[in-house]
Amino acid sequence: MFIAAIITLCIGVAAELAGPFIAKAMIDDHMLGIEQPFFETAASDSFGAVPYEGHYYKRGDRFAEDEPKGNEIRILQQGRSFYFINQPVEVSAGKKSYTEGQLTITNGSIQNSYPAQALTADQLFTFYKPEIPGIMKLVGLYLILLVVTIFTEFGKTYWLQSSANKVIQKLRTDVYAHIQRLPVHFFDNLPAGKVVSRITNDTEAVKDLFVAVLANFSSGIVYIAGVYVALFMLDVQLGLVCLFIIPILFIWIYLYRKFATKFNTIIRSRLSEINAIINESIQGMSIIRIFRRQKQTNEEFEALNQDYMKYQNKMLNLNAWTTHNLVNVLRSLSFAVLLAYFGFGSLSGANAVSLGVLYAFVDVLGRLFQPITGMVNQLAALDSSMVSAGRVFELMDEEGEAVTDGQMPRYKGNVEFKDVSFAYKKDYVLKNISFEAKQGQTIALVGHTGSGKSSIINLLFRFYDPQKGTITVDGQEVKSIPKQWLRHHMGIVLQDPYLFTGTVASNVSLGDEKITREQIEKALRDVGAERILAHLPQGFDEPVVEKGSTLSAGQRQLISFARALAFDPAILILDEATANIDTETESIIQSALEVLKKGRTTFIIAHRLSTIRSADQILVLHRGEIVERGSHDQLLKIGGRYHQLYQLQQGNTLATPATSERLEVVTSVQGQPLPGGIV
């Protein structure tokens, strides 16, 4: 479509630039053609023969090669009158004057006088009559070219813009698809608002590159090339004189972009940061109001907004100084050069050209500045688009995860970690982790914050891969399994479940066509959600807004449990799944858990130890290492770290090893004993 648009554009430019050539032919060949030499002819009925006082005359260029020519006569214009001269004229150009039947022509130092007879309007029209068919043909040709120009302009605009829209549609699709392939850790360091800005604002700016900038620059370049071809066809020397505009234009664009790129880079960055702070403020609006941070948040936003406006004003100043002002200067300069060329040339007689050539040249040269103006007006959009495109392609250049089509058969779920060590950056957060989880078993991970529980889950999902050791599922190393295949048979229930805009039912199936309505309703009933969600006006078809903010924490959690059950995973991960719910809902979820865990390997991350009493194996982590392992009863008998945690949660905080590790008896301050037995 781009190629078709460019071809159409070239045809349109050629048709449009043909106008001055038609005007030149009309002026030189027909309107001023009457002043060419006429010869007497005997063929009164031949084309172009003009009767005058009993004789017939015809222009010299209209005689056939073997047709005899009679006496030469001339018709010359002086002022608004035309005169018949019944003899040859040596020099017809120059200053003319008519006095007492004599037409005097002065050209420099040469002066000639000829007997002349003034023509009446009817006689003059007789001499012009043979020119009318030629003029009408040229007018008809001009109208045809005008129609061609109209259609080519439509074709150029339609094809350029429709193809540009398709490019942007594909670009946005590719960017969004690429985001789906980016590793999870990429989003740890880039705020969601900045990602959104690149997909929306930056791709919209790239759209301007195709729709406005490409259209103007491609048409402008083709048009300028066509104009120079026309100028050289009219007069080579004049064309060479006007070439000085091209280097000035290139230097101008280079200098403009040098400054504009710096400003636009900051502008796009600030806009991205503004989107990020807006997104963050909306997400954390309740916290902002509870802690009365409205003023500080507003000041942060205003500082970014002020900086954004400052650089927008710098771009405004740059555009104001370098757009129409410079075009006008170029236009004036080019016409000054043209006038100087004709002025000095006419004095010496070296650069004399016809009136038609002069008219066509001025017309074509004037058209040169239309595309230049269009290109200059789009310089700001060009630079902004290039900066935005750079930001989009920087995101596209981020290495993504390979996407493998298809799926593997449902595995059993036997998981084994062998001497696994892992670090997010430099320091290892997991050290020599080894354990085995067999199909149908429940493995609980406990430990203080930062002990490595979530890191084990991240490795299991292959959000990250370990630096040392191996992880296998059913004896097959997970690195050899495509990530999508591995995750296809995994499910997770988060502490704060995420619900998407839609309905309760759509949040269970997540739009998967393989999950029927019956399976959705069965999953909800099996986890006990039917009773909790019964009061909703539309039941399982109740609309859900972003993040499920209109539902309670317990309702969201039950929907999340039903989602995991509907997808029937071989490996299930429960990440603090009961931490944010009330006791009544927890009892429902506990019974739902038994349904959910049946026949599948389950990993539970829990701080509430009462929820993992029935776990087959409990792994106690401390600073990235497994310090204890066993069942609930076995670990209590050991009396180690798990026992301390359990005692703390039961409210027994007296004389436990856990507290004694963190308490220090203070009997003095700076060497001075404390008064009154204060300890």
Side-chain angles (χ1 to χ4, degrees):
M1 292 182 76
F2 277 122
I3 294 171
I6 297 299
I7 292 173
T8 306
L9 175 63
C10 293
I11 295 172
V13 169
E16 189 172 346
L17 291 177
F21 285 88
I22 292 174
K24 169 187 171 296
M26 195 177 293
I27 293 171
D28 287 346
D29 297 342
H30 299 289
M31 293 183 179
L32 297 182
I34 197 173
E35 294 193 0
Q36 294 184 23
F38 278 73
F39 295 90
E40 190 173 353
T41 179
S44 60
D45 58 345
S46 66
F47 173 73
V50 179
Y52 180 75
E53 293 184 350
H55 300 274
Y56 286 90
Y57 301 94
K58 190 163 65 171
R59 261 172 51 177
D61 58 350
R62 289 178 178 159
F63 278 83
E65 291 184 5
D66 57 346
E67 187 178 356
K69 295 181 180 179
N71 296 329
E72 180 181 348
I73 62 105
R74 296 295 293 273
I75 295 174
L76 298 179
Q77 182 181 13
Q78 190 277 320
R80 299 180 63 182
S81 301
F82 287 81
Y83 297 91
F84 180 89
I85 301 174
N86 195 16
Q87 67 182 75
V89 175
E90 294 180 7
V91 180
S92 61
K95 184 179 180 182
K96 301 182 182 72
S97 61
Y98 178 77
T99 307
E100 296 178 355
Q102 294 287 324
L103 183 67
T104 303
I105 303 173
T106 304
N107 191 335
S109 59
I110 302 174
Q111 187 178 65
N112 295 314
S113 295
Y114 305 95
Q117 182 179 351
L119 295 175
T120 64
D122 290 339
Q123 291 172 332
L124 179 62
F125 179 73
T126 302
F127 279 94
Y128 262 121
K129 199 171 182 180
E131 312 301 327
I132 292 177
I135 291 175
M136 294 306 294
K137 285 181 181 178
L138 290 174
V139 170
L141 179 60
Y142 180 79
L143 291 175
I144 292 172
L145 291 175
L146 186 62
V147 173
V148 171
T149 303
I150 292 171
F151 280 101
T152 54
E153 180 66 23
F154 169 79
K156 177 206 74 173
T157 304
Y158 176 79
W159 278 326
L160 270 181
Q161 297 208 6
S162 60
S163 54
N165 287 334
K166 288 188 177 181
V167 168
I168 298 305
Q169 179 191 27
K170 190 173 189 308
L171 177 63
R172 278 191 175 144
T173 302
D174 289 349
V175 173
Y176 188 76
H178 186 67
I179 286 175
Q180 306 291 337
R181 293 193 295 270
L182 288 176
V184 172
H185 62 77
F186 174 82
F187 300 97
D188 295 340
N189 303 315
L190 191 65
K194 289 190 175 184
V195 179
V196 171
S197 181
R198 293 194 187 189
I199 299 175
T200 54
N201 296 334
D202 288 334
T203 51
E204 189 66 28
V206 176
K207 178 184 176 183
D208 294 336
L209 173 66
F210 285 97
V211 173
V213 178
L214 179 66
N216 278 279
F217 271 79
S218 57
S219 60
I221 290 170
V222 172
Y223 204 100
I224 289 172
V227 165
Y228 272 101
V229 169
L231 291 178
F232 276 94
M233 288 175 64
L234 289 169
D235 191 281
V236 175
Q237 289 183 334
L238 285 173
L240 290 171
V241 168
C242 293
L243 277 176
F244 75 94
I245 296 172
I246 300 300
I248 292 177
L249 190 60
F250 273 105
I251 293 170
W252 176 13
I253 292 175
Y254 171 77
L255 292 176
Y256 175 89
R257 289 212 62 214
K258 186 176 182 180
F259 291 98
T261 299
K262 181 174 70 174
F263 296 153
N264 276 318
T265 301
I266 298 174
I267 287 170
R268 305 310 300 185
S269 177
R270 294 296 176 272
L271 183 59
S272 178
E273 290 170 7
I274 286 172
N275 281 336
I277 196 173
I278 291 173
N279 180 70
E280 191 176 58
S281 298
I282 293 172
Q283 298 290 337
M285 187 60 70
S286 57
I287 301 299
I288 290 173
R289 295 189 178 181
I290 289 170
F291 289 95
R292 303 181 302 282
R293 293 282 300 171
Q294 292 98 321
K295 183 178 179 182
Q296 291 87 337
T297 306
N298 191 58
E299 288 174 353
E300 291 174 12
F301 180 84
E302 184 58 33
L304 279 175
N305 205 20
Q306 182 67 29
D307 202 38
Y308 177 78
M309 187 185 72
K310 181 177 77 173
Y311 283 95
Q312 283 279 33
N313 286 338
K314 286 186 177 182
M315 275 300 301
L316 183 64
N317 290 332
L318 180 64
N319 292 331
W321 282 104
T322 59
T323 50
H324 293 290
N325 293 334
L326 194 51
V327 173
N328 292 333
V329 169
L330 273 178
R331 182 186 285 111
S332 302
L333 184 60
S334 61
F335 280 112
V337 170
L338 186 63
L339 290 173
Y341 177 85
F342 279 118
F344 291 116
S346 62
L347 292 176
S348 62
N351 300 329
V353 294
S354 70
L355 182 60
V357 171
L358 178 60
Y359 170 83
F361 202 90
V362 171
D363 188 355
V364 172
L365 187 61
R367 293 169 187 252
L368 175 64
F369 294 96
Q370 296 175 11
I372 290 178
T373 302
M375 291 167 68
V376 167
N377 287 342
Q378 293 300 326
L379 276 179
L382 167 67
D383 197 78
S384 176
S385 300
M386 294 296 285
V387 170
S388 296
R391 287 165 53 82
V392 173
F393 291 124
E394 181 185 353
L395 182 63
M396 293 286 283
D397 288 339
E398 289 286 338
E399 188 175 353
E401 299 174 343
V403 177
T404 307
D405 293 331
Q407 63 185 42
M408 67 186 298
R410 190 176 188 271
Y411 44 74
K412 294 179 180 179
N414 297 312
V415 178
E416 185 176 4
F417 277 58
K418 295 180 182 178
D419 299 320
V420 171
S421 296
F422 169 68
Y424 289 102
K425 293 181 180 178
K426 292 183 179 180
D427 299 328
Y428 281 99
V429 295
L430 293 177
K431 305 166 190 174
N432 300 317
I433 299 295
S434 296
F435 67 87
E436 186 176 359
K438 295 182 179 179
Q439 180 186 8
Q441 285 189 340
T442 298
I443 308 299
L445 305 175
V446 299
H448 60 77
T449 302
S451 61
K453 302 185 299 297
S454 296
S455 297
I456 289 177
I457 301 305
N458 287 337
L459 294 180
L460 190 58
F461 270 110
R462 285 202 68 196
F463 291 150
Y464 303 87
D465 286 323
Q467 285 82 9
K468 298 178 183 178
T470 59
I471 304 171
T472 61
V473 173
D474 290 356
Q476 187 176 358
E477 191 173 353
V478 293
K479 287 184 180 180
S480 66
I481 305 173
K483 294 179 180 179
Q484 288 76 25
W485 292 11
L486 180 70
R487 295 168 188 163
H488 184 76
H489 301 296
M490 288 185 179
I492 189 169
V493 179
L494 298 169
Q495 177 179 348
D496 187 15
Y498 196 96
L499 299 187
F500 296 91
T501 302
T503 64
V504 171
S506 69
N507 269 282
V508 172
S509 67
L510 293 182
D512 192 332
E513 296 178 355
K514 296 178 182 177
I515 301 175
T516 64
R517 177 72 181 198
E518 290 74 17
Q519 289 174 308
I520 293 171
E521 293 179 358
K522 184 178 185 304
L524 286 165
R525 284 195 299 269
D526 288 346
V527 299
E530 190 173 27
R531 185 174 58 177
I532 299 295
L533 301 175
H535 71 283
L536 297 177
Q538 299 182 46
F540 296 155
D541 293 314
E542 180 72 16
V544 176
V545 298
E546 185 183 7
K547 296 180 71 175
S549 56
T550 56
L551 301 174
S552 68
Q555 290 172 328
R556 292 197 299 271
Q557 195 63 279
L558 283 172
I559 293 171
S560 183
F561 269 94
R563 177 192 297 166
L565 184 60
F567 277 85
D568 189 27
I571 298 174
L572 176 66
I573 291 94
L574 305 175
D575 187 357
E576 290 292 334
T578 59
N580 294 336
I581 54 178
D582 58 85
T583 306
E584 181 184 356
T585 308
E586 183 185 356
S587 64
I588 297 174
I589 287 179
Q590 286 296 341
S591 59
L593 273 174
E594 298 306 317
V595 175
L596 205 56
K597 293 190 294 183
K598 193 173 182 180
R600 52 179 59 90
T601 308
T602 306
F603 289 86
I604 301 177
I605 297 177
H607 285 116
R608 195 182 295 183
L609 302 184
S610 59
T611 62
I612 59 171
R613 288 181 178 178
S614 61
D616 297 293
Q617 186 177 186
I618 299 172
L619 304 179
V620 183
L621 290 116
H622 179 66
R623 295 182 180 177
E625 296 179 297
I626 298 176
V627 293
E628 295 175 11
R629 69 180 73 204
S631 66
H632 175 75
D633 294 334
Q634 289 171 342
L635 292 177
L636 286 181
K637 288 179 182 179
I638 294 173
R641 186 170 295 274
Y642 182 82
H643 180 266
Q644 296 166 15
L645 292 172
Y646 187 75
Q647 290 288 77
L648 284 172
Q649 289 193 9
Q650 295 300 313
N652 184 8
T653 60
L654 298 177
T656 64
T659 55
S660 64
E661 285 183 4
R662 297 193 300 271
L663 294 179
E664 179 180 352
V665 178
V666 179
T667 58
S668 64
V669 177
Q670 294 182 346
Q672 299 297 320
L674 294 171
I678 296 175
V679 178

